[in-house]
Amino acid sequence: MDAPIAVGAEAVVTVSEFLGRKAAVKTRVPKRYRHGELDRRIRAARTRNEVRVMQGARSDTVRTPVVYDVEMSGCSITMEFIEGVRVKDLLDADPSSSKEVCPLIGEALADMHNRGIAHGDFTTSNMILMPDGRLCIIDFSLGSINVGTEEMGVDIRLLQRAFSSAHSAVEGGFEAVMGSYVEKKTDAGTVLGKVEEIKNRARYT
Ligand SMILES: Nc1ncnc2c1ncn2[C@@H]1O[C@H](COP(=O)(O)OP(=O)(O)OP(=O)(O)O)[C@@H](O)[C@H]1O
Ligand SMILES: [Mg+2]
């Protein structure tokens, strides 16, 4: 196997080549604490879901990796390798880059939500700023389509928490994200109301 670039809780990502193109291969590895057949089915379902949501999320404004190949038996996705810098690393190294990147985050999220797609794990670790200045969204394993305001609210709440913990040095970052989100999202008020509800729910339960 090629050298891994990331080893997560559920998946290993390696760099490879597909028909002469640089590719990223994301493989969901077996979990020994889960029963063999059940484990295989869970990994297959998540792989299938990730491909479906990643492809569905792509639009003129939202960049996602192009899927080159899917191998259901091995639970792996071969996709376009996205060059650039993870937004988490960028903001850690240079908090002032938030002026450039935060509006892009809000715009991408609004565009996905306008089409009924929630990401499910919308943190700055799952975004890559490409050399051409565009933002690519990755890791759709917890994503869903045809969602309601609840799932949209969860995306926003997760990002808000990331900005208040991991990116506390970035001043006004979350507000900048929301500025562009509200501009692009139809009926943004309903989602913002839901975000408040989720926050209060967490406080009192
Ligand atoms: N298409 C890609 N191009 C370049 N780098 C990628 C690509 N896909 C993933 N990576 C790198 O691998 C890391 C982990 O990938 P990803 O976020 O999809 O998996 P994960 O968080 O381990 O997965 P999961 O949350 O599904 O368990 C990313 O943070 C990124 O650095
Ligand atoms: Mg991830």
Side-chain angles (χ1 to χ4, degrees):
M1 194 149 88
D2 303 292
I5 48 171
V7 182
E10 301 223 352
V12 175
V13 179
T14 58
V15 184
S16 184
E17 223 183 53
F18 184 80
L19 298 180
R21 296 196 173 127
K22 191 170 178 186
V25 183
K26 180 170 180 175
T27 307
R28 307 200 102 77
V29 290
K31 292 269 165 215
R32 285 177 57 197
Y33 60 80
R34 279 197 300 239
H35 178 267
E37 176 55 19
L38 176 66
D39 178 62
R40 198 196 58 74
R41 274 161 55 184
I42 291 173
R43 286 185 293 125
R46 291 192 181 157
T47 301
R48 199 176 294 117
N49 186 61
E50 179 160 11
V51 170
R52 184 182 64 136
V53 184
M54 179 155 58
Q55 290 180 325
R58 184 170 319 123
S59 74
D60 290 347
T61 20
V62 180
R63 183 82 166 76
T64 66
V66 173
V67 175
Y68 292 152
D69 193 25
V70 183
E71 228 232 277
M72 285 315 297
S73 57
C75 297
S76 76
I77 305 168
T78 301
M79 64 188 120
E80 173 189 10
F81 184 90
I82 303 295
E83 301 287 353
V85 54
R86 276 199 324 171
V87 171
K88 169 155 199 324
D89 303 329
L90 179 72
L91 291 176
D92 284 347
D94 175 16
S96 75
S97 63
S98 65
K99 285 182 200 65
E100 175 199 357
V101 78
C102 287
L104 298 177
I105 298 172
E107 190 183 350
L109 190 64
D111 185 71
M112 284 194 281
H113 284 181
N114 278 337
R115 289 175 295 121
I117 292 164
H119 184 278
D121 191 15
F122 202 61
T123 67
T124 53
S125 296
N126 292 330
M127 307 165 187
I128 298 174
L129 185 64
M130 300 172 67
D132 67 3
R134 288 201 294 162
L135 187 71
C136 183
I137 311 293
I138 62 165
D139 198 358
F140 285 86
S141 49
L142 298 174
S144 336
I145 58 176
N146 299 323
V147 298
T149 45
E150 170 78 25
E151 289 92 337
M152 299 181 196
V154 170
D155 274 350
I156 292 174
R157 182 68 186 133
L158 201 63
L159 194 67
Q160 183 173 31
R161 293 177 73 138
F163 272 99
S164 63
S165 55
H167 301 305
S168 54
V170 178
E171 237 171 87
F174 179 69
E175 290 70 20
V177 171
M178 292 317 289
S180 72
Y181 180 86
V182 166
E183 225 170 83
K184 290 266 156 104
K185 174 77 179 73
T186 50
D187 204 9
T190 314
V191 184
L192 297 190
K194 185 57 87 171
V195 174
E196 285 308 306
E197 189 194 312
I198 293 168
K199 232 191 280 182
N200 291 331
R201 218 189 282 157
R203 192 173 301 149
Y204 297 116
T205 53

